[in-house]
Amino acid sequence: MNTLYLYEDEATRKIALMVSRMVGMGACAFYESPPSWQRYGRVVLVMGERGDMLSSLPEWREPLSGKALVLLLTAKTEIREGPAAVEEGLGRSLAASFFVSSENFLEDTMETARRLKALWPAPFADEEAVQAMEDFLAQHNTGVLTTGSNGTLRATPIEYVFVGQKLYFFSEGGEKFIHLYRNPRAAFAVFDAFTDTDHLGGLQIEGSVRLLEPADPAYQAAAAAKGISEKRLAAMAVVLHGIELTPQRMTFVWSGFAKRKQPLRQTRCIL
């Protein structure tokens, strides 16, 4: 569902843009010239100290009916009066209201984005969507593994094999292992080359990592699934180190969902 952020001036525009970037699937517009309301299921009013948009609220009553509505305040003196004034002007209740202070601007803005994402979580994948994710993984064999620790990141293009709901990688070694010893968590992305919006495919995976030695049964099963024989492994001059990634969160952006009249982005959380 798309979100429209309406702002009043340059200060509120900056906040609207930052929050929209972090939440995703949104657009920002000056309150006096909003775009077509029909394109948005949620509206965030970013109101400054003067509250200029209050005078526009009565004429917005009908177009905003049925839409999720949130107020984001930047003036501390308005933190109590603001929500009441907006609800009175619109003749309806707000889903939530947040405050961004000038003293703690960046952290407050990021916290607002986090709370909005929690308020409007991505749809959770049903069985059909989960199968689409697994099919996508099975149809590909290469992605980007991201590891990090102590403020340093590493993005590694790497082949994988998907076995038993887990992803396995083989590597001669490198900096990613420094990160994984310090931080046994990683992210992985698999995607199609972009052609147009009717052919989108991108899967993001976050999860925990276990490092495997050649004697580990999981290592041997993954090697066999990848077509690496024990004879070939024994003949190699260097060791192939195994990495097992257990997905805990999978986010799939796929045009196939739109064809099924479902949200383009689906999320799967695995406990």
Side-chain angles (χ1 to χ4, degrees):
M1 185 181 296
N2 297 335
T3 305
L4 175 63
Y5 298 79
L6 294 177
Y7 59 84
E8 295 180 333
D9 51 26
E10 181 56 29
T12 52
R13 185 197 71 83
K14 182 178 180 181
I15 295 171
L17 180 60
M18 290 175 64
V19 175
S20 176
R21 283 172 173 164
M22 290 183 275
V23 174
M25 301 301 289
C28 304
F30 184 52
Y31 81 99
E32 289 187 344
S33 53
S36 172
W37 300 104
Q38 287 76 18
R39 302 176 68 183
Y40 304 94
R42 303 182 293 230
V43 176
V44 177
L45 306 177
V46 189
M47 197 164 69
E49 184 174 355
R50 296 187 305 178
D52 292 339
M53 68 175 65
L54 286 173
S55 61
S56 300
L57 299 183
E59 64 185 78
W60 292 350
R61 285 192 176 194
E62 183 176 347
L64 290 183
S65 64
K67 298 183 187 297
L69 186 61
V70 167
L71 176 64
L72 205 171
L73 293 165
T74 65
K76 196 168 186 177
T77 56
E78 298 287 342
I79 194 165
R80 293 184 179 178
E81 295 84 353
V86 170
E87 290 179 339
E88 181 180 353
L90 290 173
R92 55 163 295 188
S93 299
L94 293 165
S97 59
F98 306 108
F99 172 64
V100 174
S101 67
S102 57
E103 297 83 7
N104 201 28
F105 173 79
L106 181 58
E107 288 301 322
D108 282 355
T109 304
M110 291 192 295
E111 178 61 20
T112 295
R114 283 192 287 266
R115 292 174 68 182
L116 279 177
K117 288 175 73 70
L119 185 65
W120 299 325
F124 287 108
D126 58 17
E127 290 185 9
E128 188 177 11
V130 169
Q131 186 61 55
M133 293 180 185
E134 294 180 356
D135 290 345
F136 192 79
L137 282 172
Q139 292 161 7
H140 295 72
N141 63 12
T142 306
V144 177
L145 179 68
T146 302
T147 56
S149 63
N150 294 348
T152 304
L153 297 173
R154 185 77 169 180
T156 305
I158 191 169
E159 295 178 42
Y160 71 91
V161 62
F162 183 53
V163 179
Q165 307 302 309
K166 298 182 180 184
L167 291 98
Y168 294 90
F169 313 90
F170 293 93
S171 169
E172 295 85 354
E175 186 176 339
K176 58 183 170 290
F177 287 95
I178 297 175
H179 297 315
L180 291 174
Y181 275 115
R182 289 174 172 162
N183 175 24
R185 291 188 56 77
F188 188 62
V190 185
F191 45 88
D192 289 332
F194 178 78
T195 54
D196 54 62
T197 54
D198 291 328
H199 300 86
L200 290 175
L203 180 60
Q204 303 172 60
I205 300 171
E206 304 164 47
S208 59
V209 165
R210 185 168 70 99
L211 301 181
L212 306 177
E213 296 185 11
D216 192 308
Y219 181 107
Q220 297 169 357
K226 192 167 171 45
I228 306 175
S229 67
E230 293 184 18
K231 182 178 180 180
R232 179 182 169 190
L233 287 170
M236 293 183 67
V238 298
V239 173
L240 282 181
H241 303 281
I243 301 171
E244 177 188 80
L245 174 61
T246 300
Q248 294 171 333
R249 183 181 180 88
M250 303 172 69
T251 303
F252 194 26
V253 178
W254 185 49
S255 55
F257 290 138
K259 296 172 184 176
R260 301 175 184 179
K261 307 300 182 183
Q262 297 175 333
L264 195 65
R265 181 189 301 267
Q266 304 260 357
T267 297
R268 181 189 186 193
C269 292
I270 307 167
L271 300 178

